[in-house]
Amino acid sequence: MLNNITLGQFFPGESFIHRLDPRTKILLTIAFLVCVFISRGFLGFGLIVAFIYMCAKVARIQLKFIFRGLKPIAVIVIITFLLNLFMSAGKDVLWKWGILSISVQGIKNAVFMALRLILLVTGTQLLTLTTSPIRLTDGLESLFLPFSKIGFPAHELAMMMSIALRFIPTLIEETQKITRAQKARGADFESGSLIKRAKALLPLLVPLFVSAFRRADELAMAMEARCYRGGKGRTKMRPLRYGRKDLYALCCVILLAGLILVTNASGIGVI
Amino acid sequence: MGIDVRHLSYTYNPGTPFETKAVDDVSFEIRDGEFVGIIGHTGSGKSTLIQHLNALIEPTSGSVLVDGEDINFSKNKTSLRRRIGLVFQYPEYQLFEETVLKDVSFGPKNIGKTEDECLSAARQALQLVGLSEDSWEKSPFELSGGQQRRAALAGVLAMQPEVLILDEPAAGLDPSGRKEILNIIRRIHSYGTTVVMVSHSMDDVARLCDRIIVMEKGKKVMDGTPAEVFSCVEELEAMGLKPPSAALLAKRLKQRGIDINDGIYTLADLADELKNRLGGIKKGA
């Protein structure tokens, strides 16, 4: 029960951002990514940081939840940083060893690229933190619907995604339970060589697959019993509608993009 | 060996909006040879509580002592889990081997027994749960639901635990499967194993246990003999628990002015009591 609400990393709330139409949020997130890429200097990044901070405040999301999402990409950020640091060619070389050298330009590039990655991820975090997975797939389905004319299976993909999302917590819970049950029978998942550990996963994977297939079967049956027959003619309980707040959100992002272009043109802090 | 639970608390998702206290300052002691029933409404923290008893979950605060030693600091958790066997709810979902016999010997194998010892322990356990020999070489997935349940139970019994903890062992079984599994548990207890059984079937608990712990919202609210616990019919009903049908019937009869002894909670006892009463009336008449 508990896990049903913690779907993905969605952080329930009733804020302005939470109540935006999911389509708006998806499109504006894409616009936000473009903003990050067109920004050519640190001043632009400053604006973006301020924007993210403001959104987080409005959505009442603690910053630590936004930073939590950075953990998985930490390695990529570090590698990007180091590559840029050592590999950029620059005039004023500070340090040199073989083919590796550090220049002022290199340091700037490294910081800039690392920041860009961090901003990309923190910005998109806002989307997934404030939009429930169901609303998210609803939004995606509606955005991709025009493409179904050329044979793109928008509804099917959206349904598959919602089902997958719906079952992630269930499967996690199940994995946890089976892990514990096998541990109670003395199974050891944590020690031994790599091969031994891979073998130790078998008592976990077999029951997990068996139960996943069983669930899939039951779900298909339950859906058919309720006359599911694909997306054609299917109506929604909560149809998506654009509202005034979506317009406000759009204005905010346009403002951000405009300001970034101005900072680019002004040349302050540009790399 | 006794299990001593001291001020145990466990919180799910601490520091998030989903924070829930599943177990809240629970203390009790389980002594050798007892048959303890843990009852409570869904979400009262029973399942979380029992997973602490063999160190599958680390408590947020408080401790569990086995033989005076805090099990969360114990280095050899595998040996602890051998001594305290835990059968999860719907244990048949953890079957995975090619044959029933192999699956049951998984536990003994993990605790470092030789091939022969494993097989003999497995055979013994399978006999104990009453699975006939012709099913031992079958795939566990070919068995019926009730047989799968018994095979999974055998998987824990094969490690010859000193304490057996069961989470809703009869859930989802038909009446005959229910009866069978409960009889097996009763038999295991009679051989000297300490048993802790989580259940929400009051009738099962009333029939089998000699001590009952009642949980509500993560807290221990009652702890006593079945007679003590089931005499509090109103309190149990207020918690959304259905007292054993015999206790309910006895209470209704008492309300109608029929004088029945306190502390009757099994159908057999109630029948005896009524027989005595009716016999008495006949004699008097």
Side-chain angles (χ1 to χ4, degrees), chain A residues 112-131:
Chain A
F112 185 76
M113 287 300 178
L115 265 179
R116 182 183 266 180
L117 268 177
I118 290 172
L119 289 179
L120 286 175
V121 174
T122 41
T124 39
Q125 290 272 314
L126 282 173
L127 174 68
T128 46
L129 280 168
T130 60
T131 320

Side-chain angles (χ1 to χ4, degrees), chain B:
Chain B
M1 92 184 158
I3 303 178
D4 189 0
V5 177
R6 290 189 186 165
H7 301 289
L8 192 78
S9 293
Y10 185 79
T11 312
Y12 278 110
N13 302 317
T16 70
F18 314 112
E19 183 175 301
T20 4
K21 233 174 181 181
V23 179
D24 191 357
D25 193 23
V26 171
S27 302
F28 59 85
E29 207 178 321
I30 289 164
R31 289 171 291 271
D32 261 347
E34 274 190 315
F35 196 134
V36 181
I38 299 181
I39 59 180
H41 209 260
T42 318
S44 59
K46 304 168 290 191
S47 298
T48 313
L49 172 66
I50 55 162
Q51 288 178 49
H52 283 92
L53 301 184
N54 68 351
L56 285 171
I57 302 183
E58 264 187 44
T60 312
S61 68
S63 54
V64 178
L65 308 181
V66 171
D67 291 340
E69 188 202 2
D70 189 330
I71 58 172
N72 285 298
F73 296 110
S74 136
K75 289 201 185 69
N76 196 344
K77 291 203 168 121
T78 308
S79 117
L80 175 87
R81 287 172 191 152
R82 184 201 74 72
R83 296 173 63 201
I84 304 178
L86 176 59
V87 181
F88 275 75
Q89 197 171 4
Y90 299 111
E92 57 273 25
Y93 293 158
Q94 52 187 272
L95 298 168
F96 70 99
E97 269 287 11
E98 291 158 46
T99 69
V100 173
L101 193 64
K102 273 191 193 169
D103 199 283
V104 175
S105 47
F106 177 68
K109 215 156 73 190
N110 284 328
I111 52 177
K113 299 223 166 153
T114 65
E115 191 89 0
D116 285 345
E117 283 171 334
C118 288
L119 287 178
S120 81
R123 287 199 190 97
Q124 219 182 334
L126 283 166
Q127 272 159 359
L128 190 58
V129 300
L131 273 182
S132 59
E133 229 164 293
D134 54 308
S135 61
W136 294 2
E137 290 304 323
K138 278 190 193 162
S139 156
F141 301 105
E142 283 172 49
L143 303 181
S144 75
Q147 287 174 320
Q148 284 189 355
R149 179 77 51 97
R150 280 185 277 157
L153 177 59
V156 174
L157 291 176
M159 308 208 299
Q160 286 145 349
E162 295 157 45
V163 180
L164 183 66
I165 304 168
L166 305 121
D167 192 353
E168 299 279 5
L173 291 181
D174 56 31
S176 75
R178 238 185 138 75
K179 210 168 156 189
E180 252 169 74
I181 209 100
L182 292 173
N183 278 336
I184 293 165
I185 296 166
R186 193 205 296 260
R187 206 178 320 141
I188 296 162
H189 179 244
S190 73
Y191 294 158
T193 309
T194 309
V195 178
V196 178
M197 183 170 90
V198 168
S199 177
H200 59 236
S201 159
M202 300 299 136
D203 284 305
D204 294 349
V205 173
R207 220 172 41 232
L208 293 168
C209 303
D210 44 47
R211 179 176 154 207
I212 294 174
I213 293 172
V214 185
M215 299 276 300
E216 198 200 13
K217 292 180 187 144
K219 286 195 161 67
K220 184 181 92 171
V221 286
M222 285 187 215
D223 185 348
T225 63
E228 284 164 9
V229 169
F230 289 134
S231 63
C232 311
V233 172
E234 284 91 3
E235 285 91 328
L236 290 173
E237 280 181 324
M239 282 184 257
L241 298 172
K242 202 173 153 275
S245 22
L248 270 179
L249 186 57
K251 188 192 143 205
R252 297 247 165 89
L253 288 172
K254 247 186 272 184
Q255 282 168 348
R256 295 277 171 98
I258 299 174
D259 181 32
I260 288 178
N261 273 341
D262 282 333
I264 284 182
Y265 53 86
T266 64
L267 281 174
D269 285 352
L270 183 65
D272 283 347
E273 173 77 10
L274 285 176
K275 199 174 83 187
N276 287 341
R277 296 273 154 216
L278 293 175
I281 291 166
K282 247 180 208 166
K283 251 183 225 162

Side-chain angles (χ1 to χ4, degrees), chain A residues 37-228:
Chain A
F37 276 109
I38 57 168
S39 171
R40 287 197 289 127
F42 290 109
L43 195 58
F45 277 3
L47 285 170
I48 291 169
V49 169
F51 179 76
I52 293 175
Y53 182 77
M54 189 190 79
C55 289
K57 276 284 153 228
V58 171
R60 291 204 189 86
I61 290 173
Q62 285 165 303
L63 290 176
K64 69 173 178 190
F65 285 102
I66 296 182
F67 289 124
R68 197 176 278 177
L70 289 175
K71 253 185 239 162
I73 64 146
V75 178
I76 302 174
V77 171
I78 291 168
I79 291 173
T80 314
F81 181 82
L82 292 177
L83 277 179
N84 276 291
L85 184 65
F86 290 117
M87 300 306 207
S88 332
K91 273 170 265 168
D92 23 34
V93 176
L94 300 173
W95 179 83
K96 199 169 163 66
W97 186 76
I99 54 159
L100 301 175
S101 66
I102 295 179
S103 63
V104 177
Q105 189 62 33
I107 294 174
K108 273 190 185 168
N109 273 349
V111 174
F112 185 76
M113 287 300 178
L115 265 179
R116 182 183 266 180
L117 268 177
I118 290 172
L119 289 179
L120 286 175
V121 174
T122 41
T124 39
Q125 290 272 314
L126 282 173
L127 174 68
T128 46
L129 280 168
T130 60
T131 320
S132 81
I134 299 296
R135 301 253 298 158
L136 205 57
T137 44
D138 265 3
L140 282 175
E141 180 182 356
S142 155
L143 285 175
F144 280 118
L145 214 53
F147 297 104
S148 60
K149 291 224 169 60
I150 53 164
F152 183 81
H155 170 77
E156 285 74 10
L157 280 180
M159 181 56 88
M160 273 158 61
M161 236 171 99
S162 354
I163 291 176
L165 286 168
R166 161 65 186 78
F167 279 98
I168 288 172
T170 314
L171 287 178
I172 290 177
E173 204 180 327
E174 188 111 349
T175 314
Q176 215 172 33
K177 221 179 111 183
I178 298 172
T179 311
R180 283 183 185 154
Q182 306 296 26
K183 268 189 186 168
R185 292 210 275 165
D188 180 5
F189 297 107
E190 279 125 25
S191 61
S193 66
L194 203 63
I195 295 173
K196 209 182 142 201
R197 261 194 252 186
K199 269 190 183 162
L201 283 180
L202 205 67
L204 181 59
L205 291 178
V206 173
L208 202 57
F209 271 99
V210 170
S211 92
F213 282 121
R214 197 191 58 240
R215 276 181 205 287
D217 234 18
E218 282 168 7
L219 180 70
M221 208 109 80
M223 282 169 79
E224 276 187 354
R226 291 196 274 166
C227 304
Y228 178 77

